[in-house]
Short mmCIF file of all heavy atoms in Angstrom, two decimals:
data_model
loop_
_atom_site.label_atom_id
_atom_site.label_comp_id
_atom_site.label_asym_id
_atom_site.label_seq_id
_atom_site.Cartn_x
_atom_site.Cartn_y
_atom_site.Cartn_z
N LYS A 1 82.44 97.07 104.25
CA LYS A 1 81.66 96.30 105.13
C LYS A 1 82.40 96.18 106.47
O LYS A 1 83.62 95.86 106.48
CB LYS A 1 81.40 94.84 104.57
CG LYS A 1 80.53 93.88 105.63
CD LYS A 1 80.27 92.67 105.10
CE LYS A 1 79.50 91.85 106.06
NZ LYS A 1 79.20 90.43 105.54
N LEU A 2 81.84 96.46 107.56
CA LEU A 2 82.59 96.48 108.87
C LEU A 2 82.75 95.05 109.33
O LEU A 2 81.78 94.22 109.45
CB LEU A 2 81.86 97.29 109.94
CG LEU A 2 82.45 97.26 111.26
CD1 LEU A 2 83.87 98.04 111.23
CD2 LEU A 2 81.56 98.12 112.32
N SER A 3 83.98 94.70 109.69
CA SER A 3 84.29 93.34 110.39
C SER A 3 85.48 93.59 111.16
O SER A 3 86.04 94.67 111.19
CB SER A 3 84.55 92.30 109.21
OG SER A 3 85.70 92.65 108.54
N ASP A 4 85.96 92.61 111.90
CA ASP A 4 87.06 92.60 112.64
C ASP A 4 88.15 92.91 111.95
O ASP A 4 89.17 93.75 112.35
CB ASP A 4 87.31 91.35 113.47
CG ASP A 4 86.29 91.20 114.62
OD1 ASP A 4 85.68 92.14 115.08
OD2 ASP A 4 86.00 89.97 114.93
N ARG A 5 88.28 92.54 110.60
CA ARG A 5 89.43 92.76 109.79
C ARG A 5 89.46 94.18 109.20
O ARG A 5 90.54 94.72 108.94
CB ARG A 5 89.34 91.63 108.70
CG ARG A 5 90.47 91.84 107.75
CD ARG A 5 90.55 90.66 106.63
NE ARG A 5 89.40 90.99 105.69
CZ ARG A 5 89.32 90.14 104.62
NH1 ARG A 5 89.88 89.08 104.52
NH2 ARG A 5 88.16 90.50 103.90
N SER A 6 88.26 94.75 109.12
CA SER A 6 88.20 96.04 108.51
C SER A 6 88.13 97.17 109.44
O SER A 6 88.19 98.40 109.09
CB SER A 6 87.11 96.12 107.56
OG SER A 6 85.83 96.01 108.06
N ARG A 7 88.03 96.86 110.74
CA ARG A 7 87.91 97.94 111.71
C ARG A 7 89.18 98.74 111.69
O ARG A 7 90.33 98.19 111.74
CB ARG A 7 87.68 97.26 113.07
CG ARG A 7 87.32 98.39 114.19
CD ARG A 7 87.01 97.60 115.48
NE ARG A 7 85.98 96.67 115.31
CZ ARG A 7 84.65 97.08 115.50
NH1 ARG A 7 84.33 98.27 115.92
NH2 ARG A 7 83.66 96.17 115.35
N GLY A 8 89.04 100.17 111.59
CA GLY A 8 90.19 100.96 111.47
C GLY A 8 91.09 100.85 110.32
O GLY A 8 92.22 101.15 110.21
N ILE A 9 90.29 100.40 109.15
CA ILE A 9 91.00 100.22 107.77
C ILE A 9 91.54 101.60 107.26
O ILE A 9 92.42 101.64 106.50
CB ILE A 9 90.18 99.48 106.80
CG1 ILE A 9 90.84 98.86 105.69
CG2 ILE A 9 89.06 100.41 106.22
CD1 ILE A 9 90.18 97.81 104.90
N VAL A 10 90.92 102.76 107.67
CA VAL A 10 91.50 103.99 107.41
C VAL A 10 92.16 104.55 108.63
O VAL A 10 91.42 104.98 109.56
CB VAL A 10 90.36 104.95 106.87
CG1 VAL A 10 90.94 106.28 106.66
CG2 VAL A 10 89.72 104.39 105.70
N GLY A 11 93.45 104.32 108.69
CA GLY A 11 94.15 104.81 109.97
C GLY A 11 94.94 106.04 109.81
O GLY A 11 95.01 106.73 108.82
N ALA A 12 95.76 106.21 110.76
CA ALA A 12 96.67 107.43 110.95
C ALA A 12 97.57 107.54 109.77
O ALA A 12 97.80 108.69 109.16
CB ALA A 12 97.35 107.55 112.22
N ASP A 13 98.22 106.41 109.29
CA ASP A 13 99.10 106.47 108.33
C ASP A 13 98.43 106.76 106.96
O ASP A 13 99.01 107.51 106.08
CB ASP A 13 99.76 105.05 108.14
CG ASP A 13 100.86 104.69 109.22
OD1 ASP A 13 101.14 105.71 110.02
OD2 ASP A 13 101.19 103.58 109.43
N ASP A 14 97.22 106.32 106.73
CA ASP A 14 96.52 106.65 105.50
C ASP A 14 96.25 108.21 105.47
O ASP A 14 96.31 108.84 104.43
CB ASP A 14 95.18 105.75 105.37
CG ASP A 14 95.40 104.29 105.49
OD1 ASP A 14 96.35 103.87 104.65
OD2 ASP A 14 94.91 103.66 106.39
N LEU A 15 95.63 108.71 106.60
CA LEU A 15 95.34 110.06 106.64
C LEU A 15 96.52 110.89 106.41
O LEU A 15 96.43 112.06 105.84
CB LEU A 15 94.66 110.45 108.01
CG LEU A 15 93.36 109.74 108.18
CD1 LEU A 15 92.89 109.90 109.69
CD2 LEU A 15 92.23 110.25 107.28
N ALA A 16 97.71 110.55 106.92
CA ALA A 16 98.94 111.31 106.80
C ALA A 16 99.31 111.36 105.37
O ALA A 16 100.11 112.36 105.00
CB ALA A 16 100.08 110.71 107.69
N ARG A 17 98.92 110.36 104.56
CA ARG A 17 99.33 110.40 103.08
C ARG A 17 98.35 111.31 102.29
O ARG A 17 98.80 111.70 101.23
CB ARG A 17 99.27 109.07 102.46
CG ARG A 17 100.38 108.05 103.09
CD ARG A 17 100.21 106.69 102.39
NE ARG A 17 101.17 105.78 102.98
CZ ARG A 17 101.03 104.92 103.84
NH1 ARG A 17 99.82 104.81 104.42
NH2 ARG A 17 101.94 104.12 104.42
N MET A 18 97.32 111.75 102.87
CA MET A 18 96.46 112.54 101.93
C MET A 18 96.93 113.94 101.71
O MET A 18 97.59 114.40 102.57
CB MET A 18 95.01 112.66 102.85
CG MET A 18 94.22 111.33 102.69
SD MET A 18 92.60 111.34 103.66
CE MET A 18 91.80 112.54 102.69
N LYS A 19 96.48 114.55 100.54
CA LYS A 19 96.87 115.91 100.31
C LYS A 19 96.26 116.73 101.39
O LYS A 19 95.06 116.51 101.87
CB LYS A 19 96.33 116.22 98.96
CG LYS A 19 96.75 115.43 97.81
CD LYS A 19 96.08 115.93 96.52
CE LYS A 19 96.54 115.14 95.34
NZ LYS A 19 95.83 115.51 94.01
N PRO A 20 96.84 117.96 101.64
CA PRO A 20 96.29 118.85 102.64
C PRO A 20 94.97 119.51 102.17
O PRO A 20 94.18 120.18 103.05
CB PRO A 20 97.40 119.93 102.83
CG PRO A 20 98.20 119.85 101.53
CD PRO A 20 98.27 118.44 101.18
N THR A 21 94.64 119.38 100.95
CA THR A 21 93.37 119.93 100.39
C THR A 21 92.34 118.87 100.15
O THR A 21 91.09 119.15 99.86
CB THR A 21 93.66 120.55 99.04
OG1 THR A 21 94.33 119.60 98.09
CG2 THR A 21 94.58 121.79 99.11
N ALA A 22 92.76 117.51 100.40
CA ALA A 22 91.83 116.42 100.10
C ALA A 22 90.83 116.27 101.24
O ALA A 22 90.97 116.58 102.47
CB ALA A 22 92.65 115.22 99.94
N VAL A 23 89.67 115.68 100.90
CA VAL A 23 88.61 115.52 101.85
C VAL A 23 88.27 113.97 102.05
O VAL A 23 88.48 113.23 100.99
CB VAL A 23 87.24 116.23 101.59
CG1 VAL A 23 87.68 117.83 101.43
CG2 VAL A 23 86.67 115.81 100.26
N LEU A 24 87.80 113.59 103.13
CA LEU A 24 87.41 112.27 103.49
C LEU A 24 85.91 112.24 103.80
O LEU A 24 85.55 113.01 104.45
CB LEU A 24 88.25 111.65 104.71
CG LEU A 24 87.80 110.22 105.09
CD1 LEU A 24 88.33 109.22 104.26
CD2 LEU A 24 88.40 110.05 106.62
N VAL A 25 85.27 111.26 103.07
CA VAL A 25 83.81 111.10 103.36
C VAL A 25 83.45 109.60 103.81
O VAL A 25 84.05 108.67 103.12
CB VAL A 25 82.99 111.49 102.05
CG1 VAL A 25 81.48 111.07 102.27
CG2 VAL A 25 83.14 112.80 101.79
N ASN A 26 82.91 109.49 104.88
CA ASN A 26 82.43 108.10 105.38
C ASN A 26 80.87 108.06 105.58
O ASN A 26 80.36 108.61 106.37
CB ASN A 26 83.20 107.86 106.59
CG ASN A 26 82.89 106.36 107.15
OD1 ASN A 26 82.27 105.49 106.37
ND2 ASN A 26 83.37 106.25 108.29
N THR A 27 80.21 107.19 104.69
CA THR A 27 78.80 106.91 104.81
C THR A 27 78.62 105.43 105.14
O THR A 27 77.48 104.99 104.91
CB THR A 27 78.01 107.43 103.55
OG1 THR A 27 78.55 106.85 102.45
CG2 THR A 27 78.09 109.00 103.44
N SER A 28 79.64 104.80 105.41
CA SER A 28 79.56 103.32 105.59
C SER A 28 79.38 102.95 107.10
O SER A 28 78.24 102.67 107.48
CB SER A 28 80.94 102.73 105.01
OG SER A 28 80.63 101.21 104.90
N ARG A 29 80.40 102.84 107.97
CA ARG A 29 80.28 102.55 109.24
C ARG A 29 81.41 103.45 109.96
O ARG A 29 82.61 103.39 109.54
CB ARG A 29 80.55 101.06 109.60
CG ARG A 29 79.29 100.24 109.13
CD ARG A 29 78.01 100.59 109.93
NE ARG A 29 77.00 99.56 109.55
CZ ARG A 29 76.12 99.89 108.59
NH1 ARG A 29 76.27 101.03 107.69
NH2 ARG A 29 75.13 99.00 108.39
N GLY A 30 81.17 103.97 111.07
CA GLY A 30 82.09 104.79 111.79
C GLY A 30 83.36 104.04 112.08
O GLY A 30 84.53 104.76 111.84
N PRO A 31 83.37 102.94 112.60
CA PRO A 31 84.66 102.25 113.14
C PRO A 31 85.67 101.91 112.04
O PRO A 31 86.77 101.40 112.31
CB PRO A 31 84.15 101.05 113.84
CG PRO A 31 82.72 101.30 114.28
CD PRO A 31 82.20 102.12 113.22
N LEU A 32 85.26 102.15 110.76
CA LEU A 32 86.08 101.91 109.66
C LEU A 32 87.29 102.94 109.68
O LEU A 32 88.36 102.65 109.23
CB LEU A 32 85.50 101.89 108.38
CG LEU A 32 84.55 100.81 108.02
CD1 LEU A 32 83.48 101.08 106.87
CD2 LEU A 32 85.25 99.44 107.83
N VAL A 33 87.04 104.03 110.30
CA VAL A 33 88.01 105.15 110.22
C VAL A 33 88.46 105.33 111.73
O VAL A 33 87.60 105.40 112.63
CB VAL A 33 87.38 106.38 109.68
CG1 VAL A 33 88.36 107.57 109.82
CG2 VAL A 33 86.88 106.26 108.33
N ASP A 34 89.73 105.62 111.96
CA ASP A 34 90.33 105.82 113.25
C ASP A 34 89.98 107.17 113.61
O ASP A 34 90.46 108.17 113.06
CB ASP A 34 91.84 105.65 113.23
CG ASP A 34 92.49 105.93 114.55
OD1 ASP A 34 91.91 106.80 115.37
OD2 ASP A 34 93.58 105.37 114.79
N THR A 35 88.94 107.43 114.45
CA THR A 35 88.37 108.69 114.75
C THR A 35 89.38 109.62 115.41
O THR A 35 89.51 110.83 115.17
CB THR A 35 87.04 108.53 115.67
OG1 THR A 35 86.21 107.84 115.09
CG2 THR A 35 86.56 109.95 116.01
N ASP A 36 90.25 109.13 116.31
CA ASP A 36 91.19 110.03 116.98
C ASP A 36 92.28 110.45 115.96
O ASP A 36 92.50 111.61 115.95
CB ASP A 36 91.94 109.15 118.10
CG ASP A 36 91.11 108.84 119.30
OD1 ASP A 36 90.09 109.52 119.45
OD2 ASP A 36 91.37 107.92 120.00
N ALA A 37 92.63 109.70 115.12
CA ALA A 37 93.47 110.07 113.95
C ALA A 37 92.77 111.04 113.02
O ALA A 37 93.43 112.09 112.69
CB ALA A 37 94.05 108.87 113.14
N LEU A 38 91.62 110.91 112.85
CA LEU A 38 90.95 111.80 111.98
C LEU A 38 90.77 113.20 112.65
O LEU A 38 91.07 114.29 112.06
CB LEU A 38 89.46 111.35 111.62
CG LEU A 38 88.63 112.31 110.79
CD1 LEU A 38 89.25 112.59 109.38
CD2 LEU A 38 87.12 111.68 110.54
N LEU A 39 90.45 113.21 113.96
CA LEU A 39 90.26 114.47 114.58
C LEU A 39 91.76 115.23 114.59
O LEU A 39 91.85 116.37 114.52
CB LEU A 39 89.86 114.17 116.05
CG LEU A 39 88.41 113.86 116.30
CD1 LEU A 39 88.20 113.33 117.54
CD2 LEU A 39 87.59 115.14 116.11
#
């Protein structure tokens, strides 16, 4: 659920920990993921 507390809950540090073969899927709300970091 998107809230002020959860905005950007998937950030650059989280994406950096992912395997190079792993995939991320977001069907919830866009601002939960740091778009610049994902790009």
Side-chain angles (χ1 to χ4, degrees):
K1 181 178 178 180
L2 179 62
S3 66
D4 290 340
R5 188 178 64 180
S6 64
R7 189 176 299 271
I9 201 164
V10 179
D13 290 345
D14 303 307
L15 296 169
R17 292 185 179 93
M18 291 178 67
K19 300 177 180 180
T21 55
V23 303
L24 175 76
V25 172
N26 186 9
T27 57
S28 188
R29 291 294 183 273
L32 292 167
V33 177
D34 182 330
T35 299
D36 290 340
L38 176 60
L39 282 165

